[in-house]
Amino acid sequence: MLLIPAIDLKDGHCVRLKQGEMDKATVFSDAPAKMARHWIEQGARRLHLVDLNGAFVGKPVNGKAIRAITEEVGDDIPVQLGGGIRDLDTIERYLDSGISYVIIGTAAVKHPGLLRDACGAFPGHIIVGLDARDGKVAVDGWSKVTGHDAVDLAKKFEDYGVEAVIYTDIGRDGMLSGVNIEATVRLARALRISVIASGGVANMADIEALCAIEDEGVVAAITGRAIYEGTLDFAAAQARADELATGDTDVG
């Protein structure tokens, strides 16, 4: 189980939201690049970036902070990025700048042709982000809930050739209330591609619960507020996930 620290960017700062609401942002750092280096030093093997402003306005906004992070990270680990990505030119610029995986969310739902074209133009580099409330997909920075069923859309996008699906339970994101294991497993069982869990990770018990469903196709989990507020020690959590993956649970 790969644990992926989240660096959510709002107005150039590293923040966390509660249930995706921009007016409920907690600022954790005004130096996102230093935060990226911190997580690498803690053992992160991938980073998850979100341009929150971009997600709401539909175009990249936090470009300066993103460039600072990619320059800091270099070739050390892969970086995945979502938020405000609505066209192929933006995807190409991000990939050329050092981003390894581009996450398409709202645009995939509203303009599936873009997702299909992106998978064709940049195979192996496109991840789809499905953010859902009660199983229904939300768009536009989670501000609008559609009538689309998350599982049905994921199966459609799988056929386009996406690398993986990030599944976020909006109701749990930033709330430290635990991962929606049932919904995540239901999605993973319906797909051949990998699922990355997001939303609600709070403590080591959540990590162990996620490791228990890794064989279902849930291969990674994004964690944010828990590692910033200290309810989860990232280095210890990744070490525990590695132990469970190898069967070496003797930590004495």
Side-chain angles (χ1 to χ4, degrees):
M1 176 68 61
L2 179 67
L3 304 183
I4 310 175
I7 299 179
D8 290 357
L9 300 168
K10 179 177 183 284
D11 305 329
H13 303 299
C14 173
V15 307
R16 289 301 293 168
L17 306 184
K18 289 187 177 180
Q19 298 182 323
E21 297 185 27
M22 288 288 271
D23 60 352
K24 295 183 179 179
T26 302
V27 177
F28 286 104
S29 173
D30 58 3
K34 291 183 179 179
M35 187 60 69
R37 177 53 56 187
H38 168 75
W39 294 127
I40 292 173
E41 291 172 351
Q42 292 296 305
R45 299 198 284 266
R46 184 184 293 198
L47 293 177
H48 176 79
L49 310 186
V50 181
D51 183 343
L52 292 172
N53 302 99
F56 277 85
V57 303
K59 61 181 181 181
V61 174
N62 286 283
K64 182 178 180 180
I66 292 167
R67 284 192 299 274
I69 290 170
T70 56
E71 289 171 1
E72 175 65 36
V73 172
D75 296 326
D76 290 354
I77 62 172
V79 177
Q80 61 190 43
L81 167 69
I85 299 168
R86 303 288 192 269
D87 56 64
L88 294 179
D89 287 342
T90 299
I91 296 171
E92 185 171 23
R93 285 198 301 272
Y94 276 141
L95 293 175
D96 287 344
S97 72
I99 296 297
S100 302
Y101 303 98
V102 169
I103 303 161
I104 303 179
T106 291
V109 180
K110 290 187 169 182
H111 308 288
L114 169 65
L115 182 65
R116 186 189 298 111
D117 292 344
C119 290
F122 311 105
H125 295 281
I126 305 300
I127 294 174
V128 70
L130 291 180
D131 309 322
R133 191 186 299 276
D134 299 325
K136 299 299 181 182
V137 174
V139 296
D140 295 332
W142 302 353
S143 62
K144 301 174 184 175
V145 177
T146 72
H148 295 293
D149 179 78
V151 173
D152 291 343
L153 267 186
K155 291 170 70 174
K156 175 182 177 181
F157 296 155
E158 176 181 57
D159 292 338
Y160 291 175
V162 298
E163 182 72 7
V165 173
I166 297 174
Y167 180 72
T168 303
D169 185 320
I170 297 172
R172 301 193 183 210
D173 188 74
M175 301 303 290
L176 302 179
S177 57
V179 179
N180 190 333
I181 295 290
E182 182 181 355
T184 306
V185 168
R186 184 167 62 247
L187 178 66
R189 286 176 175 170
L191 303 175
R192 300 181 303 277
I193 57 175
S194 298
V195 171
I196 299 172
S198 177
V201 172
N203 50 43
M204 194 69 82
D206 291 320
I207 301 304
E208 293 176 345
L210 284 163
C211 289
I213 62 171
E214 189 169 6
D215 288 345
E216 301 281 4
V218 184
V219 302
I222 296 166
T223 177
R225 184 171 290 272
I227 56 175
Y228 287 99
E229 294 194 347
T231 65
L232 181 70
D233 180 294
F234 180 82
Q238 185 63 74
R240 178 62 172 155
D242 292 343
E243 288 165 2
L244 291 173
T246 61
D248 178 14
T249 57
D250 181 6
V251 294

